[in-house]
Amino acid sequence: MNKKLKQSIAFATFRLLGFLVVGVLFYILGFIVYNGAGVISWEFLTASPEEGMSAGGIFPAIVGTLCLVAGSVAIAFPVGVMSGIYIHEYLRNKWVARVIRVMTNNLGGIPSIVFGLFGMALFVQAFGFGDSILAGSFTLALLALPLVIRTTEEALKAIPGSYRAGSYALGAGKLQTIFRVTLPVAMPNILTGLILSVGRVSGETAPILFTVAAYFLPRLPSGIFDQVMALPYHLYVIATSGTDIEASRPMAYGTALVLVAIVLVMNLLATATRLRLGKKTKMD
Amino acid sequence: MKWSRRFVERIIEGLFTLSGGVTSLIILLVVLFLFREGAGLFTSPSLEKGYTLCVHASNLTGEIDAREVKRIFDGEITRWEEVGAGEMTGEIDVFHASELPRVEDEAVMPRVLEEIVGGRRGIIAFLPDEFLPAGESVVKRLAAGRVTPGDFFAGDEWQPTVSPAPRLGVLPLVTGTLLVSFFAIILALVPGLGVAIYLAELAGSRARGWLKPAIELLAGIPSVVYGFFGLVVLVPFIQEVFDLPVGESALAGSVVLAIMALPTIITIAEDAIRGVPRALREASLALGATRWQTIYRVVIPRASSGITAAAVLGIGRAVGETMAVLMVTGNAAVMPRSLFEPVRTIPATIAAELGEAPSGGTHYRALFLLGCILFAITMVINLSAEFIATRGQGKGEGA
């Protein structure tokens, strides 16, 4: 009986821990939503910050983040997908494959502030982009790259060899097989990686600190060499160093809620894509 | 027709190959750029950029190292006998550039400097380069010391903007980073492991079906949001509970980092636990062990390498985390003595100071070298996690 009792105690503890962790998650989310919901309004989303960022809205920051997300994904997605294709479809040398895999994992593990330093040294200074959307997008693309590569690889791995064999048997070449058979089938899972990297990129602060982010710039960018405000940096600024921290608290809650909402939506979207497109390709 | 198509195919395949090497190339570039800027630190003058230390021409003291310069200007060293090899005696007369008189015409500055230095034999003056008199003069320049690796790696003071001789010792930052990260993992490991066991062994498919996405979501929340949450909820809470003068402390940083490291630990540990072959579990159960006995006597020991990898990667995550830590730890660059004091970590230092450090200067290079240290630490952590995990797999094949 004793060991049964031990088991129940242990299992109850684990169950409790599981719900505790989820409880923490919901507490954080709930706290942000509860305090931020009252701030969100049409004006908050479409106006520029005013009065030392304690009033007005966050429109320039939203636009800035959109620019950065679009830019970095436009860079990271094609390169990442091609890289994934190479690793899974072409690479036969086990040793090289291993090196590349280790490198990709390591790139994913490099702290984002190091990317910030690197982006500043390479894109801002060596390439002469200055503090600009271009420099920021390249820097953020470095962060998204491992994510895209890994999901592409996983997606390709999940495709049964018989698909490829069938295509070859019909006389298709390697590239034809990749573009007509492998990629279309793998697309839903690859898109999941794309969407997840959008979520990741939109929340990163450290890489954009020295490559693009502007402290206060209440106008929209006119080109890729412009600086922009960005949501995560804006939140950092108004939470820690605004002219009147207490007065700008509501703005901070609102900004945090918008950021969290973007991440939530992206996560849901990724799941939905996986389910929806996955079903469709199966039916075809 | 066919020929040109082959050509296009070759180009596309070439692109694939190039992209395949892109991650390795980026890592190479990161190493190159970081270390190039960072290594420049040891050829940089230990004084503030654009300034020189000068003495009276009759003063024979050769070189004064950065530590002594600081102590002289702090008033801790007051006599010339205490520095150099005793070539000079008498009271030290300190003069800082900020005491220079304002002049209408900057062209007269060199003469003003000569007057100041000429009239005070025991002077040590910290003067801007541009105004130093050219040629023979009563103003003698002291050879500028360089920042030495010893100063940097073993120095216990980080005061990069102190004039005239900034102190660039990384020990307080390294200690702060390690303290905050390790305590975070200690906080996160037990709950993380518990949740991983629950998810892998106990949870029904329905509970698992929504717990796992929820935990992945926890990983997706931007670090600046965690930092903000920590700032408005955790920091005041800690201040009140422990009755501290300020709530921004190593403890606050550790708690926030623990929450942030949880998803990493849970996901990897769960994978490791699930990877334990079914046959082992069944054998144990068939011998009459309860499920719990099976878990902690068979499954966990078997998954230990994966679990270790989870903890190691969790530390890696914590060491490199920037924004959240920057917002809640209070950022005092002093040697941490307890968890309840403000500390400053390496990433937070870079984030807070790079914007103000003049490009190419000593401080700027020191921050890049900090980046190198951080890069090296995380690289070692990632590689060892990989090594630990694959070694575990190897054992699995043999068994």
Side-chain angles (χ1 to χ4, degrees):
Chain A
M1 220 53 227
N2 191 17
K3 60 183 189 179
K4 273 272 158 65
L5 185 69
K6 265 190 196 159
Q7 166 159 319
S8 334
I9 294 174
F11 284 7
T13 316
F14 291 145
R15 200 159 282 142
L16 196 70
L17 278 174
F19 288 102
L20 205 69
V21 167
V22 179
V24 168
L25 167 76
F26 278 107
Y27 178 60
I28 295 177
L29 284 183
F31 180 80
I32 302 281
V33 172
Y34 176 79
N35 287 291
V39 185
I40 305 284
S41 65
W42 185 245
E43 197 221 335
F44 181 71
L45 296 175
T46 56
S48 288
E50 284 157 29
E51 291 169 38
M53 296 187 259
S54 63
I58 53 169
F59 188 57
I62 294 180
V63 173
T65 290
L66 287 181
C67 291
L68 291 174
V69 166
S72 55
V73 167
I75 298 162
F77 188 63
V79 177
V81 171
M82 288 199 292
S83 179
I85 292 175
Y86 175 74
I87 294 170
H88 192 261
E89 303 286 327
Y90 284 88
L91 204 53
R92 288 291 162 262
N93 185 331
K94 262 194 174 164
W95 194 82
V96 177
R98 189 157 175 204
V99 168
I100 290 187
R101 202 152 290 145
V102 169
M103 285 298 190
T104 311
N105 280 344
N106 270 320
L107 192 65
I110 293 179
S112 53
I113 187 74
V114 173
F115 282 118
L117 275 176
F118 173 64
M120 177 179 175
L122 184 70
F123 303 122
V124 174
Q125 290 177 350
F127 286 0
F129 292 164
D131 278 3
S132 63
I133 296 180
L134 196 61
S137 298
F138 268 106
T139 311
L140 287 172
L142 301 181
L143 270 103
L145 202 53
L147 203 59
V148 178
I149 295 178
R150 229 172 288 154
T151 38
T152 307
E153 229 190 303
E154 293 295 322
L156 294 174
K157 218 181 268 173
I159 297 173
S162 58
Y163 281 47
R164 295 187 190 89
S167 169
Y168 289 139
L170 291 170
K174 186 153 194 164
L175 265 188
Q176 271 179 317
T177 306
I178 289 173
F179 280 114
R180 297 276 172 80
V181 179
T182 325
L183 267 189
V185 179
M187 218 13 113
N189 284 326
I190 297 179
L191 281 182
T192 316
L194 172 80
I195 296 166
L196 286 178
S197 56
V198 168
R200 166 108 202 255
V201 163
S202 52
E204 280 292 344
T205 318
I208 58 174
L209 278 176
F210 318 113
T211 53
V212 51
Y215 183 83
F216 179 65
L217 191 71
R219 62 179 171 78
L220 300 184
S222 57
I224 54 169
F225 289 103
D226 267 13
Q227 269 192 297
V228 284
M229 293 176 84
L231 282 174
Y233 183 59
H234 187 63
L235 173 57
Y236 169 65
V237 166
I238 52 181
T240 57
S241 63
T243 42
D244 185 350
I245 290 185
E246 280 313 311
S248 54
R249 260 297 119 82
M251 295 287 111
Y253 283 119
T255 313
L257 179 56
V258 172
L259 256 181
V260 169
I262 292 178
V263 173
L264 265 172
V265 168
M266 285 303 150
N267 268 284
L268 290 176
L269 210 61
T271 318
T273 320
R274 196 161 24 193
L275 295 178
R276 186 88 171 276
L277 288 178
K279 237 179 239 159
K280 214 174 88 191
T281 30
K282 250 178 221 153
M283 279 193 321
D284 282 344
Chain B
M1 175 69 190
K2 201 162 182 205
W3 193 85
S4 72
R5 205 170 110 193
R6 282 291 291 277
F7 185 68
V8 171
E9 284 188 357
R10 270 289 148 76
I11 288 182
I12 294 176
E13 288 180 350
L15 277 178
F16 287 168
T17 315
L18 274 183
S19 311
V22 78
T23 49
S24 317
L25 179 75
I26 291 170
I27 292 201
L28 218 68
L29 281 176
V30 170
V31 172
L32 198 74
F33 270 80
L34 249 54
F35 280 81
R36 202 192 60 180
E37 292 283 353
L41 177 68
F42 300 125
T43 56
S44 310
S46 57
L47 279 185
E48 218 172 301
K49 204 182 177 191
Y51 289 85
T52 307
L53 271 184
C54 300
V55 292
H56 193 275
S58 65
N59 189 338
L60 296 175
T61 306
E63 195 176 309
I64 305 182
D65 73 27
R67 190 180 301 257
E68 284 173 333
V69 171
K70 178 175 181 273
R71 292 181 62 199
I72 289 173
F73 277 80
D74 282 352
E76 286 168 25
I77 299 181
T78 54
R79 300 196 59 83
W80 280 106
E81 287 89 336
E82 295 172 53
V83 292
E87 299 92 340
M88 174 75 187
T89 55
E91 196 82 8
I92 297 182
D93 187 358
V94 176
F95 184 89
H96 192 275
S98 57
E99 302 166 43
L100 282 174
R102 284 187 187 283
V103 289
E104 291 284 311
D105 178 12
E106 293 198 332
V108 304
M109 272 310 252
R111 251 204 9 258
V112 174
L113 296 190
E114 285 199 310
E115 273 168 31
I116 293 170
V117 175
R120 298 152 76 168
R121 219 180 72 82
I123 198 169
I124 180 162
F126 175 66
L127 302 170
D129 283 337
E130 47 177 333
F131 298 138
L132 289 183
E136 267 311 287
S137 162
V138 68
V139 180
K140 190 181 102 175
R141 296 162 199 232
L142 272 186
R146 305 254 171 242
V147 180
T148 63
D151 281 343
F152 185 74
F153 291 108
D156 59 0
E157 284 174 298
W158 178 265
Q159 294 168 335
T161 53
V162 164
S163 173
R167 307 292 300 133
L168 300 165
V170 294
L171 281 186
L173 310 179
V174 173
T175 329
T177 310
L178 295 181
L179 174 74
V180 173
S181 310
F182 275 101
F183 194 65
I185 292 307
I186 291 173
L187 286 180
L189 200 56
V190 172
L193 209 54
V195 177
I197 292 174
Y198 173 70
L199 278 177
E201 299 281 333
L202 306 176
S205 63
R206 275 232 337 255
R208 215 183 107 81
W210 65 270
L211 266 174
K212 257 208 103 138
I215 287 164
E216 274 162 24
L217 193 66
L218 199 60
I221 296 178
S223 67
V224 66
V225 173
Y226 280 113
F228 177 59
F229 174 80
L231 193 64
V232 290
V233 176
L234 209 59
V235 166
F237 179 76
I238 286 178
Q239 183 177 4
E240 201 160 304
V241 168
F242 295 100
D243 196 21
L244 302 173
V246 284
E248 278 103 343
S249 56
L251 182 64
S254 293
V255 175
V256 171
L257 282 181
I259 299 175
M260 297 179 72
L262 268 177
T264 310
I265 295 179
I266 293 174
T267 316
I268 299 173
E270 195 217 341
D271 283 347
I273 294 171
R274 286 187 158 257
V276 175
R278 216 188 146 82
L280 283 181
R281 279 193 195 93
E282 281 167 356
S284 165
L285 291 173
L287 289 171
T290 60
R291 275 169 76 200
W292 169 233
Q293 283 173 324
T294 308
I295 291 172
Y296 85 91
R297 290 274 175 76
V298 178
V299 176
I300 298 212
R302 186 54 203 269
S304 62
S305 66
I307 292 170
T308 316
V312 171
L313 279 178
I315 294 177
R317 215 23 69 78
V319 165
E321 179 44 50
T322 313
M323 299 315 291
V325 176
L326 178 64
M327 291 166 86
V328 301
T329 52
N331 296 318
V334 289
M335 275 303 220
R337 274 175 314 219
S338 85
L339 278 169
F340 302 106
E341 281 170 32
V343 293
R344 173 172 248 189
T345 67
I346 295 175
T349 305
I350 300 173
E353 292 176 5
L354 189 63
E356 290 142 30
S359 174
T362 308
H363 185 196
Y364 178 86
R365 287 175 170 160
L367 292 176
F368 268 86
L369 204 56
L370 280 184
C372 297
I373 294 178
L374 195 59
F375 177 80
I377 293 178
T378 47
M379 203 76 171
V380 167
I381 287 177
N382 286 331
L383 288 175
S384 46
E386 203 131 343
F387 176 72
I388 293 168
T390 42
R391 203 189 47 182
Q393 276 167 19
K395 244 192 311 191
E397 277 157 26

